[in-house]
Amino acid sequence: VATIDFTDGTSTTMYAGNKTPTRNSYYVRVDEDPKVYTVRTYSIDRFFTQLNDLRDRQIAVPDIQAITYFRLESERVMEIVKMEEGDNFIGSQFASLKLAQPYRTERSIDSQRFSEMVETLPTALSIVRFVEDAPQDLKQYDLDPPRYQWIMRDEQSFIHLLVGGDAGEDEVFAKRPADNMVFT
């Protein structure tokens, strides 16, 4: 059932039934009129769009060649930050990033190894499916606490994901801290 409200204050209700035997049309009735029409599936499908059909599935990922901040939390925290003017320790003159955690003192990082590591990260993320809005229990998704917390930014963009348990083949449960929605 789809109800269409017009700006003149009138409305029309359309009832779509089964598909025709050729599967390219639906049987349709309008308002209380007993006549039954056939309408092409592509026209009817537009009326019956689901919320998840409209949701953006793309998650912007910062440019891995221009990272200014990187943090990965699991059992330990690894935090890599941009070098600041005046940083002076072994290796600092050749690096643009430094390791801020897990050690007490900041240190330079092996830029080659870090580049190899971030190159394995996805350059684009896409939500496979939306699992639950406003979940009451994040533990069922292994998100309370999350298995991993991933934060990365460049000068323009930022990503912060909480990553939970396995959700099937090549899928994990995840959510953004600012959103109350679990997806894979």
Side-chain angles (χ1 to χ4, degrees), residues 12-46:
T12 297
T13 302
M14 181 175 50
Y15 303 90
N18 291 332
K19 285 187 176 180
T20 62
T22 60
R23 314 283 301 152
N24 64 356
S25 300
Y26 283 96
Y27 294 111
V28 173
R29 189 170 53 84
V30 178
D31 290 326
E32 299 305 317
D33 189 343
K35 293 179 196 159
V36 175
Y37 303 91
T38 58
V39 177
R40 295 272 183 203
T41 55
Y42 63 85
S43 298
I44 296 300
D45 288 343
R46 292 182 189 172

Side-chain angles (χ1 to χ4, degrees), residues 84-100:
E84 298 173 13
E85 196 173 311
D87 280 341
N88 192 16
F89 45 85
I90 296 173
S92 65
Q93 65 271 26
F94 302 112
S96 61
L97 298 170
K98 62 185 176 184
L99 189 60

Side-chain angles (χ1 to χ4, degrees), residues 139-155:
K139 286 184 186 205
Q140 66 181 323
Y141 306 113
D142 228 357
L143 286 165
D144 186 22
R147 283 189 183 177
Y148 299 95
Q149 190 167 172
W150 175 34
I151 305 169
M152 192 167 81
R153 76 171 53 102
D154 61 19
E155 297 292 337

Side-chain angles (χ1 to χ4, degrees), residues 57-74:
R57 294 177 180 270
Q58 299 304 309
I59 299 175
V61 175
D63 179 1
I64 60 173
Q65 302 301 320
I67 293 173
T68 59
Y69 182 85
F70 181 89
R71 182 179 179 100
L72 184 63
E73 293 182 27
S74 56

Side-chain angles (χ1 to χ4, degrees), residues 102-114:
Y103 305 109
R104 286 188 199 134
T105 57
E106 296 174 337
R107 14 185 113 191
S108 61
I109 62 169
D110 181 335
S111 298
Q112 177 67 31
R113 302 253 344 229
F114 180 70

Side-chain angles (χ1 to χ4, degrees), residues 10-11 40 43 59 75 77-78 83 88 111 118 127 144 164 169 183:
T10 62
S11 68
R40 295 272 183 203
S43 298
I59 299 175
E75 296 89 37
V77 174
M78 178 177 50
M83 286 282 223
N88 192 16
S111 298
V118 296
I127 295 171
D144 186 22
E169 191 174 323
F183 51 85

